Amino acid sequence: MTVAVYLPAEDKTRWWVDMLQDLLPEWQVQSFAEAAADPDAVEHAVVWRPRSGDLARFPNLRAIVSIGAGIDHVLEDDQLPQGVPIIRTVGQDLTQRMREYVALHVLRHHRDMPRQLQAQRDHDWHAIVVPVAPNRVVGVMGLGNLGAEAARTLAGLGFATRGWSKSEKQVEGVACFAGAEGLAGFLDGCEILVNLLPLTDSTRGILNAGLFARLAPGACVINCARGAHLVEEDLLAALEAGQIKQATLDVFHIEPLPADHGFWGHPAITVTPHVASQIDAATGGRIIAQNLRTFAETGTCADVADAVRGY
Ligand code: NDP
Ligand code: OXD
């Protein structure tokens, strides 16, 4: 079996090739560049943000592995070989890290830490009194692998927690809403909004002026899914108007976020560099190796995504 690996950074590609080769000693693991010598031999590709047309060079591809939970970066390829299963990389490590990130930033907004820290800088003994968590409405968009766990974590902290998904869901302690018809009820009065939707045609640009207007005045928004969910100018306008008080953004239209982008220095925006939940590479490697073995033996595995649905 031959596996070809591609990540945008060459040194990272080398690292992943070596690690997967150790984990799959009876397979041949190569970079895309090495695999170009015999593209017919490649049956599996392991990728993060592959370049358009690269995967199409392997005519005998049986599976594409996304080094990450999202598959949008694979589906963006306009020459993507059709019908080849896409396997995403998920697991406890990824879920745990996202729970930590969501809890950290929801609590930070809930306790108004940005204002408290400003008071410290001003040497101002200023007690900020906030509602107790059960009186704070928080909402999680997307109740999948990561969103459902994030919502459970927030409910466990005592927040009045809502969740929104495409199909009906039941998550203990969480008021669940579903579909386009459930969106208004989910958003109305929501004070801290967390986005954990996949990027698809129906979710692109979903964090926009219309959605912000439905939230409670002075709401906070946390986007840890994909940059293209957010209409950037709508966020800036909503911050300017006070409809949104603070935003935490982990993902951006262009990554790395350009050095001259206005978000960096915006007083009401916290920028993190797509680190909400980076799977530990060694753990991710073990999961990928296991998925590849299972797929090779059975023709499928639990983490195959639905390419038509887009996630
Ligand atoms: P899943 O595919 O497990 O879950 C997606 C959820 O979104 C499902 O509950 C689904 O509903 C819901 N959904 C999809 N489309 C719609 C829609 N149109 N309307 C309402 N709900 C919808 O995704 P994960 O939880 O694994 O990951 C979510 C995203 O997080 C990833 O796609 C990725 O973009 C991002 N991510 C970001 C990371 C970071 O470090 N910033 C790290 C890892 C992932 P249903 O269940 O009904 O199908
Ligand atoms: C992912 C990511 O999709 O890191 O896993 O964004």
Side-chain angles (χ1 to χ4, degrees), residues 102-115 128 130-131 136 138 159 191-194 218-223 244-249 268-270:
V102 169
L104 169 70
H105 290 279
V106 167
L107 282 169
R108 190 170 148 269
H109 290 305
H110 168 58
R111 300 298 288 256
D112 211 350
M113 278 311 286
R115 197 148 64 100
I128 293 170
V130 300
R136 178 77 84 189
V138 303
F159 287 106
E191 297 172 273
I192 303 177
L193 183 74
V194 179
C220 298
V221 172
I222 300 169
N223 186 18
I244 301 294
K245 186 168 69 175
Q246 289 273 336
T248 295
L249 306 177
I269 297 180
T270 299

Side-chain angles (χ1 to χ4, degrees), residues 88 143-146 165-167 169 198 224 226 250 277 311:
R88 59 199 206 115
L143 290 175
N145 210 31
L146 301 176
S165 53
K166 192 171 349 195
S167 57
K169 292 268 179 302
C224 38
R226 285 293 181 261
D250 184 56
S277 183
Y311 62 99

Side-chain angles (χ1 to χ4, degrees), residues 69-70 72 88 90 94 98 142-147 164-167 169 196-200 202-203 224-226 250-251 274-278 309 311:
D72 51 296
R88 59 199 206 115
V90 293
L94 199 74
M98 190 56 89
L143 290 175
N145 210 31
L146 301 176
W164 184 63
S165 53
K166 192 171 349 195
S167 57
K169 292 268 179 302
L196 275 170
L197 289 167
L199 183 64
T200 65
S202 31
T203 64
C224 38
R226 285 293 181 261
D250 184 56
V251 285
H274 201 142
V275 290
S277 183
Q278 293 293 290
R309 198 175 65 158
Y311 62 99

